Amino acid sequence: MTAPDDISGAWRRAVTGELCWTGPTGPVGIPVVPLVLDGRPCAALPAAHLATADTLTSGRAAFALTSERHGGAPGMAAAGPVEVVADADGSLFTEHLLPQELVKHPPTRLRADSLMAQRENWWWLPRVVVVLSRVESERELPVRSAPGDAVLVRPARGSAEDPRVDVVTADAWPRGGADPAPVRLLDGSPPDGRGERALVFGHRHSPDFERWERWHRAGTLTGGRLSVEEAEGEPMGEVAPFGVLERLRNHRELVKACKAGVAALEARQGTGG
Protein backbone atom coordinates (compact mmCIF):
# COMPACT_ATOMS: atom_id res chain seq x y z
CA MET A 1 0.00 0.00 0.00
CA THR A 2 1.18 3.50 -0.78
CA ALA A 3 2.09 5.44 2.35
CA PRO A 4 -0.60 7.89 3.54
CA ASP A 5 1.72 10.87 3.08
CA ASP A 6 2.24 9.84 -0.57
CA ILE A 7 -1.54 9.67 -1.07
CA SER A 8 -1.93 13.10 0.49
CA GLY A 9 0.88 14.43 -1.69
CA ALA A 10 -0.79 13.22 -4.87
CA TRP A 11 -4.11 14.69 -3.72
CA ARG A 12 -2.39 17.99 -2.86
CA ARG A 13 -0.80 18.27 -6.32
CA ALA A 14 -3.95 17.38 -8.29
CA VAL A 15 -6.31 20.05 -9.64
CA THR A 16 -9.46 17.90 -9.80
CA GLY A 17 -10.53 14.68 -8.15
CA GLU A 18 -13.59 12.61 -7.34
CA LEU A 19 -15.28 11.89 -4.02
CA CYS A 20 -17.29 8.65 -4.09
CA TRP A 21 -19.43 6.72 -1.63
CA THR A 22 -22.43 4.41 -1.41
CA GLY A 23 -25.56 6.22 -0.22
CA PRO A 24 -28.94 4.91 0.95
CA THR A 25 -30.28 4.77 -2.60
CA GLY A 26 -27.11 3.79 -4.42
CA PRO A 27 -23.59 4.89 -5.30
CA VAL A 28 -22.70 8.60 -5.39
CA GLY A 29 -19.79 10.33 -7.10
CA ILE A 30 -18.99 14.02 -7.51
CA PRO A 31 -16.04 15.99 -8.90
CA VAL A 32 -14.17 18.01 -6.28
CA VAL A 33 -11.21 20.32 -5.79
CA PRO A 34 -8.57 18.23 -3.93
CA LEU A 35 -7.51 19.83 -0.64
CA VAL A 36 -5.51 18.63 2.36
CA LEU A 37 -6.35 19.24 6.03
CA ASP A 38 -3.73 18.35 8.65
CA GLY A 39 -2.00 16.07 6.16
CA ARG A 40 -5.20 14.22 5.21
CA PRO A 41 -7.02 14.35 1.85
CA CYS A 42 -10.28 16.26 2.03
CA ALA A 43 -12.92 17.99 -0.06
CA ALA A 44 -14.77 21.19 0.89
CA LEU A 45 -18.20 21.01 -0.73
CA PRO A 46 -20.02 24.34 -1.21
CA ALA A 47 -23.32 24.58 0.63
CA ALA A 48 -25.15 24.12 -2.68
CA HIS A 49 -24.18 20.42 -2.42
CA LEU A 50 -25.63 19.91 1.06
CA ALA A 51 -28.37 17.52 -0.12
CA THR A 52 -25.79 15.34 -1.85
CA ALA A 53 -23.50 15.41 1.19
CA ASP A 54 -26.41 14.30 3.36
CA THR A 55 -26.37 10.92 1.58
CA LEU A 56 -22.89 10.18 3.00
CA THR A 57 -24.44 8.32 5.90
CA SER A 58 -22.07 5.33 5.97
CA GLY A 59 -19.08 7.38 7.14
CA ARG A 60 -16.90 5.77 4.46
CA ALA A 61 -15.76 7.12 1.10
CA ALA A 62 -13.14 6.89 -1.64
CA PHE A 63 -10.98 9.76 -2.86
CA ALA A 64 -10.05 9.19 -6.50
CA LEU A 65 -7.77 10.86 -9.05
CA THR A 66 -8.75 9.87 -12.58
CA SER A 67 -8.06 12.98 -14.68
CA GLU A 68 -4.90 13.07 -16.77
CA ARG A 69 -2.13 14.29 -14.49
CA HIS A 70 1.06 16.25 -14.94
CA GLY A 71 4.00 14.03 -15.85
CA GLY A 72 1.78 11.13 -16.92
CA ALA A 73 1.24 9.88 -13.35
CA PRO A 74 -1.32 7.09 -13.03
CA GLY A 75 -4.65 7.55 -11.37
CA MET A 76 -5.45 6.26 -7.92
CA ALA A 77 -8.21 5.69 -5.40
CA ALA A 78 -7.80 5.71 -1.61
CA ALA A 79 -10.68 4.64 0.65
CA GLY A 80 -11.49 4.49 4.33
CA PRO A 81 -13.54 6.13 7.08
CA VAL A 82 -14.27 9.84 6.76
CA GLU A 83 -15.14 12.69 9.05
CA VAL A 84 -17.88 15.03 7.81
CA VAL A 85 -17.73 18.55 9.25
CA ALA A 86 -20.58 21.04 8.78
CA ASP A 87 -18.67 24.34 8.52
CA ALA A 88 -21.71 26.62 8.64
CA ASP A 89 -19.81 29.86 9.16
CA GLY A 90 -16.95 28.98 6.82
CA SER A 91 -14.30 29.45 9.49
CA LEU A 92 -12.64 26.06 9.00
CA PHE A 93 -12.57 26.50 5.24
CA THR A 94 -11.34 30.10 5.35
CA GLU A 95 -8.57 29.48 7.88
CA HIS A 96 -7.21 26.14 6.72
CA LEU A 97 -8.35 25.38 3.16
CA LEU A 98 -9.05 28.60 1.28
CA PRO A 99 -5.38 29.29 0.38
CA GLN A 100 -5.17 25.90 -1.35
CA GLU A 101 -8.42 26.39 -3.26
CA LEU A 102 -7.38 29.88 -4.37
CA VAL A 103 -4.44 28.30 -6.20
CA LYS A 104 -6.47 25.59 -7.91
CA HIS A 105 -9.90 27.05 -8.57
CA PRO A 106 -10.24 30.34 -10.52
CA PRO A 107 -13.89 30.97 -9.50
CA THR A 108 -12.80 30.95 -5.85
CA ARG A 109 -10.11 33.53 -6.65
CA LEU A 110 -12.84 35.78 -8.05
CA ARG A 111 -15.09 35.29 -5.02
CA ALA A 112 -12.73 35.11 -2.07
CA ASP A 113 -9.21 36.42 -2.77
CA SER A 114 -9.69 39.46 -0.50
CA LEU A 115 -11.68 40.41 2.58
CA MET A 116 -13.92 42.61 0.47
CA ALA A 117 -14.63 39.76 -1.95
CA GLN A 118 -15.30 37.41 0.95
CA ARG A 119 -17.82 39.81 2.49
CA GLU A 120 -19.58 40.25 -0.84
CA ASN A 121 -19.61 36.52 -1.60
CA TRP A 122 -20.14 35.25 1.95
CA TRP A 123 -22.36 32.44 0.63
CA TRP A 124 -19.31 30.78 -1.01
CA LEU A 125 -17.38 30.23 2.24
CA PRO A 126 -19.64 27.89 4.29
CA ARG A 127 -18.78 24.30 3.38
CA VAL A 128 -19.35 20.66 4.17
CA VAL A 129 -15.82 19.36 4.67
CA VAL A 130 -15.21 15.63 4.11
CA VAL A 131 -11.86 14.40 5.48
CA LEU A 132 -10.32 10.97 4.92
CA SER A 133 -9.56 9.88 8.49
CA ARG A 134 -7.24 7.05 7.49
CA VAL A 135 -6.39 5.04 4.39
CA GLU A 136 -7.58 1.44 4.63
CA SER A 137 -7.22 0.54 0.95
CA GLU A 138 -5.48 2.09 -2.04
CA ARG A 139 -5.42 1.11 -5.72
CA GLU A 140 -3.72 2.44 -8.82
CA LEU A 141 -6.13 3.33 -11.63
CA PRO A 142 -5.80 4.28 -15.28
CA VAL A 143 -6.73 7.87 -16.08
CA ARG A 144 -9.65 9.10 -18.16
CA SER A 145 -8.44 10.43 -21.51
CA ALA A 146 -11.33 10.06 -23.99
CA PRO A 147 -14.65 11.88 -23.54
CA GLY A 148 -16.47 8.57 -23.00
CA ASP A 149 -14.12 7.37 -20.26
CA ALA A 150 -15.83 7.43 -16.88
CA VAL A 151 -15.60 6.66 -13.19
CA LEU A 152 -17.52 3.56 -12.11
CA VAL A 153 -18.71 3.55 -8.49
CA ARG A 154 -20.34 0.52 -6.84
CA PRO A 155 -20.29 -1.29 -3.50
CA ALA A 156 -17.06 -3.15 -2.83
CA ARG A 157 -17.40 -6.91 -2.90
CA GLY A 158 -18.38 -8.12 0.55
CA SER A 159 -19.32 -4.65 1.84
CA ALA A 160 -22.42 -2.58 1.18
CA GLU A 161 -20.85 0.52 2.74
CA ASP A 162 -17.41 0.60 1.11
CA PRO A 163 -17.26 2.02 -2.43
CA ARG A 164 -15.17 0.45 -5.18
CA VAL A 165 -13.91 2.80 -7.88
CA ASP A 166 -12.82 1.79 -11.40
CA VAL A 167 -12.31 3.61 -14.70
CA VAL A 168 -14.43 2.30 -17.56
CA THR A 169 -15.47 3.18 -21.08
CA ALA A 170 -18.13 2.25 -23.62
CA ASP A 171 -18.71 2.74 -27.34
CA ALA A 172 -21.87 4.64 -26.43
CA TRP A 173 -23.66 5.69 -23.25
CA PRO A 174 -27.43 5.29 -23.89
CA ARG A 175 -29.85 7.19 -21.71
CA GLY A 176 -32.00 4.12 -21.13
CA GLY A 177 -34.15 1.69 -23.06
CA ALA A 178 -34.21 -2.03 -23.61
CA ASP A 179 -30.53 -2.47 -24.49
CA PRO A 180 -28.02 -2.19 -21.64
CA ALA A 181 -24.78 -0.27 -22.16
CA PRO A 182 -21.81 -2.61 -22.74
CA VAL A 183 -19.20 -1.41 -20.25
CA ARG A 184 -15.54 -2.40 -20.14
CA LEU A 185 -12.48 -1.52 -18.12
CA LEU A 186 -9.82 0.37 -20.04
CA ASP A 187 -7.83 -2.86 -20.52
CA GLY A 188 -10.84 -4.31 -22.34
CA SER A 189 -12.01 -6.68 -19.61
CA PRO A 190 -15.56 -6.60 -18.18
CA PRO A 191 -16.09 -5.03 -14.76
CA ASP A 192 -17.66 -8.27 -13.50
CA GLY A 193 -20.88 -6.82 -12.17
CA ARG A 194 -22.99 -8.98 -9.85
CA GLY A 195 -26.34 -7.28 -10.30
CA GLU A 196 -25.39 -4.46 -7.92
CA ARG A 197 -26.39 -0.81 -8.14
CA ALA A 198 -23.76 1.17 -10.01
CA LEU A 199 -23.01 4.75 -11.05
CA VAL A 200 -20.94 5.79 -14.03
CA PHE A 201 -19.96 9.45 -14.31
CA GLY A 202 -17.51 11.75 -16.03
CA HIS A 203 -16.63 15.42 -15.82
CA ARG A 204 -14.71 18.10 -17.69
CA HIS A 205 -14.25 21.81 -17.06
CA SER A 206 -13.64 24.92 -19.08
CA PRO A 207 -10.23 26.60 -18.75
CA ASP A 208 -11.71 29.18 -16.36
CA PHE A 209 -13.57 26.50 -14.33
CA GLU A 210 -16.83 28.48 -14.53
CA ARG A 211 -18.27 25.50 -16.38
CA TRP A 212 -17.65 22.14 -14.71
CA GLU A 213 -19.82 19.75 -16.68
CA ARG A 214 -20.77 16.36 -15.21
CA TRP A 215 -22.69 13.54 -16.87
CA HIS A 216 -23.81 10.25 -15.37
CA ARG A 217 -25.61 6.97 -15.91
CA ALA A 218 -26.97 4.88 -13.04
CA GLY A 219 -28.57 1.47 -12.89
CA THR A 220 -27.75 -2.19 -12.38
CA LEU A 221 -24.44 -3.71 -13.45
CA THR A 222 -24.42 -7.36 -14.50
CA GLY A 223 -21.22 -8.74 -15.96
CA GLY A 224 -20.20 -6.02 -18.36
CA ARG A 225 -23.64 -4.58 -19.04
CA LEU A 226 -25.22 -1.58 -17.31
CA SER A 227 -29.02 -1.42 -17.38
CA VAL A 228 -29.50 2.34 -17.36
CA GLU A 229 -32.31 3.55 -15.10
CA GLU A 230 -31.17 7.16 -14.62
CA ALA A 231 -29.25 9.44 -16.97
CA GLU A 232 -28.15 13.05 -17.13
CA GLY A 233 -25.90 14.87 -19.59
CA GLU A 234 -23.62 13.52 -22.27
CA PRO A 235 -19.86 12.89 -22.48
CA MET A 236 -18.07 16.03 -23.64
CA GLY A 237 -14.71 16.78 -25.21
CA GLU A 238 -13.51 20.34 -24.84
CA VAL A 239 -15.71 22.55 -22.67
CA ALA A 240 -15.98 26.15 -23.85
CA PRO A 241 -16.37 28.99 -21.32
CA PHE A 242 -19.79 30.47 -20.70
CA GLY A 243 -20.97 33.42 -22.71
CA VAL A 244 -21.98 36.57 -20.85
CA LEU A 245 -25.66 35.66 -20.41
CA GLU A 246 -24.87 32.05 -19.50
CA ARG A 247 -22.33 33.23 -16.94
CA LEU A 248 -24.87 35.53 -15.30
CA ARG A 249 -27.53 32.82 -15.24
CA ASN A 250 -25.12 30.28 -13.76
CA HIS A 251 -24.00 32.77 -11.11
CA ARG A 252 -27.58 33.54 -10.04
CA GLU A 253 -28.43 29.84 -9.77
CA LEU A 254 -25.29 29.12 -7.77
CA VAL A 255 -25.90 31.99 -5.34
CA LYS A 256 -29.48 30.83 -4.77
CA ALA A 257 -28.44 27.21 -4.17
CA CYS A 258 -25.58 28.15 -1.84
CA LYS A 259 -27.72 30.51 0.23
CA ALA A 260 -30.36 27.81 0.64
CA GLY A 261 -27.68 25.37 1.77
CA VAL A 262 -26.22 27.90 4.23
CA ALA A 263 -29.66 28.51 5.73
CA ALA A 264 -30.14 24.76 6.19
CA LEU A 265 -26.71 24.39 7.82
CA GLU A 266 -27.39 27.26 10.19
CA ALA A 267 -30.81 25.89 11.11
CA ARG A 268 -29.25 22.54 12.00
CA GLN A 269 -26.74 24.19 14.27
CA GLY A 270 -29.36 26.40 15.88
CA THR A 271 -27.71 29.60 14.60
CA GLY A 272 -30.26 30.49 11.98
CA GLY A 273 -33.83 31.61 12.03
Side-chain angles (χ1 to χ4, degrees):
M1 179 186 295
T2 303
D5 57 340
D6 292 338
I7 291 169
S8 295
W11 192 256
R12 180 183 291 108
R13 292 188 295 272
V15 177
T16 65
E18 297 86 26
L19 178 61
C20 308
W21 64 89
T22 56
T25 61
V28 180
I30 55 175
V32 296
V33 178
L35 305 172
V36 175
L37 180 65
D38 297 331
R40 298 175 295 168
C42 76
L45 309 180
H49 298 299
L50 178 60
T52 300
D54 281 345
T55 68
L56 211 174
T57 56
S58 67
R60 305 184 67 81
F63 290 66
L65 299 172
T66 69
S67 296
E68 290 184 291
R69 297 167 61 198
H70 180 71
M76 62 173 294
V82 296
E83 179 183 2
V84 181
V85 181
D87 185 26
D89 63 2
S91 56
L92 173 64
F93 173 70
T94 303
E95 183 176 352
H96 297 284
L97 301 172
L98 177 58
Q100 298 176 53
E101 191 165 297
L102 288 172
V103 173
K104 297 183 178 186
H105 194 53
T108 296
R109 289 201 292 272
L110 291 174
R111 298 167 187 152
D113 69 345
S114 68
L115 291 176
M116 182 178 296
Q118 291 171 25
R119 285 194 294 268
E120 181 178 351
N121 301 296
W122 58 268
W123 47 269
W124 187 242
L125 302 179
R127 301 292 178 106
V128 178
V129 181
V130 183
V131 188
L132 184 60
S133 300
R134 65 178 182 274
V135 177
E136 293 186 344
S137 65
E138 183 268 330
R139 297 171 52 235
E140 185 175 296
L141 297 173
V143 296
R144 297 176 295 113
S145 57
D149 293 349
V151 181
L152 168 64
V153 188
R154 51 183 163 157
R157 187 160 295 185
S159 172
E161 295 184 339
D162 292 308
R164 177 184 172 90
V165 177
D166 291 288
V167 177
V168 297
T169 193
D171 294 331
W173 291 106
R175 300 182 68 89
D179 296 327
V183 180
R184 60 185 182 276
L185 302 175
L186 294 195
D187 65 5
S189 61
D192 192 25
R194 295 159 285 114
E196 70 269 35
R197 295 288 301 173
L199 170 75
V200 170
F201 76 100
H203 60 96
R204 288 179 181 264
H205 59 81
S206 60
D208 61 4
F209 265 94
E210 286 289 346
R211 288 184 67 187
W212 199 345
E213 300 291 346
R214 175 184 180 272
W215 64 272
H216 78 269
R217 303 290 185 267
T220 303
L221 183 68
T222 305
R225 301 176 72 81
L226 179 69
S227 298
V228 179
E229 301 167 15
E230 180 183 325
E232 183 175 350
E234 300 292 340
M236 300 183 68
E238 297 298 321
V239 178
F242 282 131
V244 174
L245 293 180
E246 291 174 314
R247 186 183 298 271
L248 291 173
R249 184 182 306 112
N250 179 72
H251 179 73
R252 286 195 298 267
E253 292 174 352
L254 179 63
V255 172
K256 181 179 179 181
C258 283
K259 287 182 176 180
V262 173
L265 283 172
E266 290 178 339
R268 293 178 189 183
Q269 295 189 358
T271 60

PDB file of all heavy atoms in Angstrom, residues 103-115:
ATOM      1  N   VAL A 103      -5.449  28.671  -5.203  1.00  0.00           N
ATOM      2  CA  VAL A 103      -4.442  28.298  -6.198  1.00  0.00           C
ATOM      3  C   VAL A 103      -5.046  27.458  -7.309  1.00  0.00           C
ATOM      4  O   VAL A 103      -4.693  27.620  -8.489  1.00  0.00           O
ATOM      5  CB  VAL A 103      -3.283  27.538  -5.519  1.00  0.00           C
ATOM      6  CG1 VAL A 103      -2.305  26.990  -6.557  1.00  0.00           C
ATOM      7  CG2 VAL A 103      -2.543  28.445  -4.541  1.00  0.00           C
ATOM      8  N   LYS A 104      -5.986  26.583  -6.956  1.00  0.00           N
ATOM      9  CA  LYS A 104      -6.475  25.588  -7.909  1.00  0.00           C
ATOM     10  C   LYS A 104      -7.744  25.973  -8.649  1.00  0.00           C
ATOM     11  O   LYS A 104      -8.007  25.449  -9.739  1.00  0.00           O
ATOM     12  CB  LYS A 104      -6.738  24.260  -7.168  1.00  0.00           C
ATOM     13  CG  LYS A 104      -5.501  23.639  -6.549  1.00  0.00           C
ATOM     14  CD  LYS A 104      -5.838  22.294  -5.911  1.00  0.00           C
ATOM     15  CE  LYS A 104      -4.605  21.645  -5.323  1.00  0.00           C
ATOM     16  NZ  LYS A 104      -4.872  20.275  -4.827  1.00  0.00           N
ATOM     17  N   HIS A 105      -8.540  26.864  -8.070  1.00  0.00           N
ATOM     18  CA  HIS A 105      -9.903  27.051  -8.567  1.00  0.00           C
ATOM     19  C   HIS A 105     -10.151  28.522  -8.890  1.00  0.00           C
ATOM     20  O   HIS A 105     -10.434  29.322  -7.984  1.00  0.00           O
ATOM     21  CB  HIS A 105     -10.888  26.566  -7.496  1.00  0.00           C
ATOM     22  CG  HIS A 105     -12.290  26.379  -7.978  1.00  0.00           C
ATOM     23  ND1 HIS A 105     -12.610  25.614  -9.076  1.00  0.00           N
ATOM     24  CD2 HIS A 105     -13.463  26.846  -7.495  1.00  0.00           C
ATOM     25  CE1 HIS A 105     -13.909  25.613  -9.249  1.00  0.00           C
ATOM     26  NE2 HIS A 105     -14.454  26.364  -8.308  1.00  0.00           N
ATOM     27  N   PRO A 106     -10.068  28.919 -10.157  1.00  0.00           N
ATOM     28  CA  PRO A 106     -10.236  30.335 -10.524  1.00  0.00           C
ATOM     29  C   PRO A 106     -11.523  30.986 -10.016  1.00  0.00           C
ATOM     30  O   PRO A 106     -11.476  32.145  -9.583  1.00  0.00           O
ATOM     31  CB  PRO A 106     -10.168  30.307 -12.054  1.00  0.00           C
ATOM     32  CG  PRO A 106      -9.299  29.133 -12.356  1.00  0.00           C
ATOM     33  CD  PRO A 106      -9.655  28.106 -11.321  1.00  0.00           C
ATOM     34  N   PRO A 107     -12.693  30.306 -10.033  1.00  0.00           N
ATOM     35  CA  PRO A 107     -13.888  30.975  -9.496  1.00  0.00           C
ATOM     36  C   PRO A 107     -13.742  31.373  -8.032  1.00  0.00           C
ATOM     37  O   PRO A 107     -14.282  32.403  -7.599  1.00  0.00           O
ATOM     38  CB  PRO A 107     -14.993  29.926  -9.689  1.00  0.00           C
ATOM     39  CG  PRO A 107     -14.539  29.134 -10.862  1.00  0.00           C
ATOM     40  CD  PRO A 107     -13.051  29.031 -10.690  1.00  0.00           C
ATOM     41  N   THR A 108     -13.021  30.578  -7.252  1.00  0.00           N
ATOM     42  CA  THR A 108     -12.805  30.947  -5.850  1.00  0.00           C
ATOM     43  C   THR A 108     -11.918  32.179  -5.753  1.00  0.00           C
ATOM     44  O   THR A 108     -12.111  33.027  -4.867  1.00  0.00           O
ATOM     45  CB  THR A 108     -12.200  29.768  -5.069  1.00  0.00           C
ATOM     46  OG1 THR A 108     -13.149  28.695  -5.069  1.00  0.00           O
ATOM     47  CG2 THR A 108     -11.883  30.145  -3.629  1.00  0.00           C
ATOM     48  N   ARG A 109     -10.945  32.319  -6.649  1.00  0.00           N
ATOM     49  CA  ARG A 109     -10.111  33.528  -6.649  1.00  0.00           C
ATOM     50  C   ARG A 109     -10.970  34.761  -6.902  1.00  0.00           C
ATOM     51  O   ARG A 109     -10.748  35.825  -6.310  1.00  0.00           O
ATOM     52  CB  ARG A 109      -9.009  33.417  -7.701  1.00  0.00           C
ATOM     53  CG  ARG A 109      -7.946  32.413  -7.330  1.00  0.00           C
ATOM     54  CD  ARG A 109      -6.648  32.669  -8.075  1.00  0.00           C
ATOM     55  NE  ARG A 109      -6.732  32.411  -9.501  1.00  0.00           N
ATOM     56  CZ  ARG A 109      -6.513  31.218 -10.053  1.00  0.00           C
ATOM     57  NH1 ARG A 109      -6.209  30.177  -9.284  1.00  0.00           N
ATOM     58  NH2 ARG A 109      -6.584  31.075 -11.350  1.00  0.00           N
ATOM     59  N   LEU A 110     -11.960  34.649  -7.769  1.00  0.00           N
ATOM     60  CA  LEU A 110     -12.837  35.783  -8.048  1.00  0.00           C
ATOM     61  C   LEU A 110     -13.724  36.120  -6.854  1.00  0.00           C
ATOM     62  O   LEU A 110     -14.050  37.276  -6.614  1.00  0.00           O
ATOM     63  CB  LEU A 110     -13.720  35.479  -9.260  1.00  0.00           C
ATOM     64  CG  LEU A 110     -13.015  35.394 -10.624  1.00  0.00           C
ATOM     65  CD1 LEU A 110     -14.001  34.937 -11.692  1.00  0.00           C
ATOM     66  CD2 LEU A 110     -12.408  36.732 -10.997  1.00  0.00           C
ATOM     67  N   ARG A 111     -14.103  35.099  -6.082  1.00  0.00           N
ATOM     68  CA  ARG A 111     -15.089  35.290  -5.016  1.00  0.00           C
ATOM     69  C   ARG A 111     -14.486  35.497  -3.638  1.00  0.00           C
ATOM     70  O   ARG A 111     -15.187  35.964  -2.735  1.00  0.00           O
ATOM     71  CB  ARG A 111     -16.030  34.072  -4.973  1.00  0.00           C
ATOM     72  CG  ARG A 111     -16.829  33.858  -6.241  1.00  0.00           C
ATOM     73  CD  ARG A 111     -17.490  32.494  -6.274  1.00  0.00           C
ATOM     74  NE  ARG A 111     -18.115  32.264  -7.573  1.00  0.00           N
ATOM     75  CZ  ARG A 111     -18.300  31.063  -8.113  1.00  0.00           C
ATOM     76  NH1 ARG A 111     -17.901  29.977  -7.450  1.00  0.00           N
ATOM     77  NH2 ARG A 111     -18.854  30.935  -9.299  1.00  0.00           N
ATOM     78  N   ALA A 112     -13.216  35.143  -3.451  1.00  0.00           N
ATOM     79  CA  ALA A 112     -12.728  35.111  -2.074  1.00  0.00           C
ATOM     80  C   ALA A 112     -11.247  35.431  -1.930  1.00  0.00           C
ATOM     81  O   ALA A 112     -10.639  35.042  -0.934  1.00  0.00           O
ATOM     82  CB  ALA A 112     -13.012  33.738  -1.477  1.00  0.00           C
ATOM     83  N   ASP A 113     -10.656  36.167  -2.879  1.00  0.00           N
ATOM     84  CA  ASP A 113      -9.213  36.424  -2.770  1.00  0.00           C
ATOM     85  C   ASP A 113      -8.890  37.668  -1.953  1.00  0.00           C
ATOM     86  O   ASP A 113      -7.730  38.057  -1.838  1.00  0.00           O
ATOM     87  CB  ASP A 113      -8.572  36.518  -4.154  1.00  0.00           C
ATOM     88  CG  ASP A 113      -9.007  37.758  -4.922  1.00  0.00           C
ATOM     89  OD1 ASP A 113     -10.002  38.387  -4.514  1.00  0.00           O
ATOM     90  OD2 ASP A 113      -8.355  38.086  -5.929  1.00  0.00           O
ATOM     91  N   SER A 114      -9.899  38.301  -1.373  1.00  0.00           N
ATOM     92  CA  SER A 114      -9.693  39.464  -0.503  1.00  0.00           C
ATOM     93  C   SER A 114     -10.822  39.509   0.510  1.00  0.00           C
ATOM     94  O   SER A 114     -11.871  38.867   0.342  1.00  0.00           O
ATOM     95  CB  SER A 114      -9.675  40.758  -1.314  1.00  0.00           C
ATOM     96  OG  SER A 114     -10.958  41.027  -1.862  1.00  0.00           O
ATOM     97  N   LEU A 115     -10.623  40.280   1.578  1.00  0.00           N
ATOM     98  CA  LEU A 115     -11.677  40.407   2.583  1.00  0.00           C
ATOM     99  C   LEU A 115     -12.928  41.034   2.005  1.00  0.00           C
ATOM    100  O   LEU A 115     -14.054  40.641   2.349  1.00  0.00           O
ATOM    101  CB  LEU A 115     -11.164  41.231   3.765  1.00  0.00           C
ATOM    102  CG  LEU A 115     -10.097  40.565   4.636  1.00  0.00           C
ATOM    103  CD1 LEU A 115      -9.619  41.530   5.716  1.00  0.00           C
ATOM    104  CD2 LEU A 115     -10.636  39.281   5.268  1.00  0.00           C
TER     105      LEU A 115
END
